[in-house]
Amino acid sequence: MTRTRPIPTRHPHDRAQVPVLGPTVKLLGIKPPTEAEWATMGEALTIGDEPMDALVDWMYTAGMGQVRPLFDQALAHGIANVPDAPEPLRDFFTQVENPPAWVDWDRIKLGERIFQSAGLDGIYLARDVPFLGGFVASGINRTLLLTNTGKSGATGGGQRFAETLRWALDVISEDGMRPGGKGFRSTLHVRLIHTFVRRHVSKLPEWSAEDWGVPVNQTDMAVTMLGALYAPALTGMMMGNIFTPRELDAIAHLTRYVGWVMGIEERFLPNGFVDATRQLYHYLTALTAPDESSMRLARPMAEDPLTWHYEHLAPLRRRIAWAQHLSISTAFLGRGRMRQLGLPGYMPPWYPVAKFPVNLARSGAGILVPGWRTRQARAGLRAQHEFMSTLIGPTEDGSIGGSVNYIGHAA
């Protein structure tokens, strides 16, 4: 095979073990990545988001102070409502405002409802497994550590997760991913921030393209997207949640479309439940490489529940939340991975064990009782929004981009 791009040295020679997905991978008959797939993942470390990168290059050339308000206007109201929009801006928004032919809005809507029905456990699993466990990916950590998100110690991980949760709640809102919807706008906002971070970090003297590739590259974005939206549903099944094949397909389809809006190339987007699992497994075999940065980022994140905002009995509830979330992480990541993250490996998995029968009964009722899944979705979404206040306090909104607002025009 002829390689068109040099593979950065961060791409390993050997496939790492991914214990959390082991049983599912075997059950689905998923094989390790082939040599061609392995090389493609390595090459994708050198690819950013070419359409948005080109647009931002033009924005700087044309004068960011003049054209950023036009971008924001198009983001808020659509490019049709920006009179005499410059051609580069019009071309970009015209392309992204016209979804691909494969988008199925009925499946998108079902995917939204499934995410909503997961309630607090959906958020907990997203936080405690792919988000916290994702710090074993030292290559991704490198970018974080070169922004204030990684440098801000005890608040960095918590703030970044709050922003991620705000984005996710926008994505799964009613018709959130329709062009012009809350999730659509938030995803494009995050995409713009990614490009500002990419430009900023790649110019730092501490960054080596030969070793690390491009900051916020296609491989890192693809695995992050799967971790944020798809992995919580996959791990939710291991905690007692039951989904129909149609619901699993809808979850993967929503993830696929959100990834497209985010600027991930179609060849790196999942096409169905099995393919999403395969991709997640393949990426983790390539990106699981813990180092000292894993502990540096994971420890403050694990301690974050001790600062959460509870109206009553705050000290006690914070300690319970700390133990609860460590119990989830330990159950899914395993003691070995917890040690690599510098976290306690002795916490019994009491919360997943206690919730398994509850989730089994609850999700079973959602499938068997007409209209029950919809009621679960309403209650779940309400609980998810209430948790945001617990996470950041009643006076904050977790605005997207706050953790990198020191980078010019990023927020």
Side-chain angles (χ1 to χ4, degrees):
M1 182 185 68
T2 301
R3 291 175 180 165
T4 59
R5 298 173 184 265
I7 296 178
T9 58
R10 65 171 274 202
H11 188 59
H13 295 290
D14 300 320
R15 284 74 165 158
Q17 295 295 316
V18 187
V20 67
L21 292 180
T24 304
V25 164
K26 289 181 180 178
L27 182 65
L28 296 176
I30 295 172
K31 305 297 183 184
T34 65
E35 289 301 322
E37 291 168 335
W38 192 251
T40 297
M41 285 190 287
E43 291 169 3
L45 296 171
T46 67
I47 305 172
D49 174 1
E50 295 178 5
M52 182 63 89
D53 290 343
L55 179 65
V56 170
D57 286 343
W58 167 80
M59 291 169 72
Y60 275 107
T61 301
M64 186 63 71
Q66 287 71 45
V67 297
R68 176 63 191 270
L70 298 179
F71 180 96
D72 292 340
Q73 185 178 350
L75 186 62
H77 305 292
I79 193 64
N81 293 300
V82 183
D84 301 320
E87 184 177 354
L89 191 68
R90 183 173 298 281
D91 289 346
F92 176 84
F93 274 95
T94 298
Q95 187 269 336
V96 79
E97 288 177 359
N98 288 276
W102 48 258
V103 172
D104 183 331
W105 292 111
D106 289 337
R107 292 157 77 190
I108 297 287
K109 194 174 192 68
L110 177 59
E112 292 169 356
R113 189 160 68 246
I114 298 307
F115 278 110
Q116 294 167 7
S117 68
L120 288 179
D121 279 350
I123 292 177
Y124 294 167
L125 286 166
R127 179 193 182 277
D128 301 332
V129 186
F131 197 94
L132 182 62
F135 290 132
V136 297
S138 57
I140 297 177
N141 294 349
R142 182 72 177 178
T143 300
L144 294 175
L145 289 170
L146 291 175
T147 68
N148 277 1
T149 303
K151 295 175 181 177
S152 55
T155 62
Q159 182 178 358
R160 178 169 160 260
F161 179 70
E163 294 176 26
T164 301
L165 178 56
R166 170 56 60 202
W167 163 77
L169 291 176
D170 288 347
V171 164
I172 66 172
S173 63
E174 189 74 19
D175 291 328
M177 286 308 298
R178 291 272 186 178
K182 290 172 61 177
F184 181 86
R185 298 196 309 270
S186 290
T187 301
L188 283 181
H189 186 189
V190 172
R191 184 175 178 179
L192 179 67
I193 291 169
H194 282 171
T195 294
F196 283 124
V197 170
R198 191 180 299 117
R199 288 173 58 93
H200 172 77
V201 172
S202 64
K203 293 176 182 178
L204 295 176
E206 302 96 322
W207 185 265
S208 167
E210 180 180 348
D211 293 330
W212 302 98
V214 171
V216 200
N217 55 70
Q218 287 288 313
T219 293
D220 292 347
M221 285 194 293
V223 72
T224 301
M225 181 63 61
L226 287 166
L229 293 179
Y230 174 73
L234 186 63
T235 51
M237 291 192 291
M238 304 176 197
M239 209 163 86
N241 286 314
I242 304 172
F243 302 108
T244 67
R246 181 167 166 264
E247 289 173 338
L248 291 172
D249 173 73
I251 292 167
H253 190 71
L254 175 59
T255 304
R256 176 178 173 83
Y257 176 55
V258 177
W260 181 84
V261 177
M262 187 69 80
I264 300 170
E265 296 179 9
E266 285 201 35
R267 60 184 171 139
F268 301 120
L269 296 173
N271 192 10
F273 167 70
V274 175
D275 190 51
T277 307
R278 178 192 65 82
Q279 286 196 11
L280 181 61
Y281 169 60
H282 284 188
Y283 286 130
L284 292 178
T285 64
L287 298 175
T288 301
D291 63 8
E292 71 282 354
S293 69
S294 303
M295 297 185 184
R296 182 175 170 183
L297 292 171
R299 283 172 174 166
M301 183 72 188
E303 297 292 323
D304 195 55
L306 298 176
T307 68
W308 286 354
H309 303 265
Y310 293 103
E311 187 174 355
H312 304 292
L313 301 174
L316 175 61
R317 296 179 70 183
R318 287 169 178 165
R319 293 297 298 181
I320 293 173
W322 172 81
Q324 171 186 342
H325 290 279
L326 278 181
S327 79
I328 297 172
S329 297
T330 304
F332 287 95
L333 301 178
R335 291 186 177 185
R337 190 72 79 223
M338 295 290 282
R339 285 194 294 270
Q340 291 173 338
L341 293 169
L343 303 177
Y346 58 84
M347 182 64 68
W350 59 270
Y351 184 81
V353 170
K355 285 304 297 284
F356 188 94
V358 176
N359 289 337
L360 194 64
R362 180 177 173 275
S363 59
I367 293 173
L368 296 174
V369 181
W372 194 253
R373 188 72 96 186
T374 299
R375 289 193 289 272
Q376 288 177 336
R378 285 197 296 265
L381 186 61
R382 192 162 52 246
Q384 290 166 347
H385 279 279
E386 289 172 356
F387 178 75
M388 176 64 81
S389 295
T390 299
L391 188 65
I392 63 175
T395 61
E396 302 291 335
D397 64 358
S399 58
I400 296 169
S403 61
V404 290
N405 59 11
Y406 68 101
I407 297 176
H409 310 286

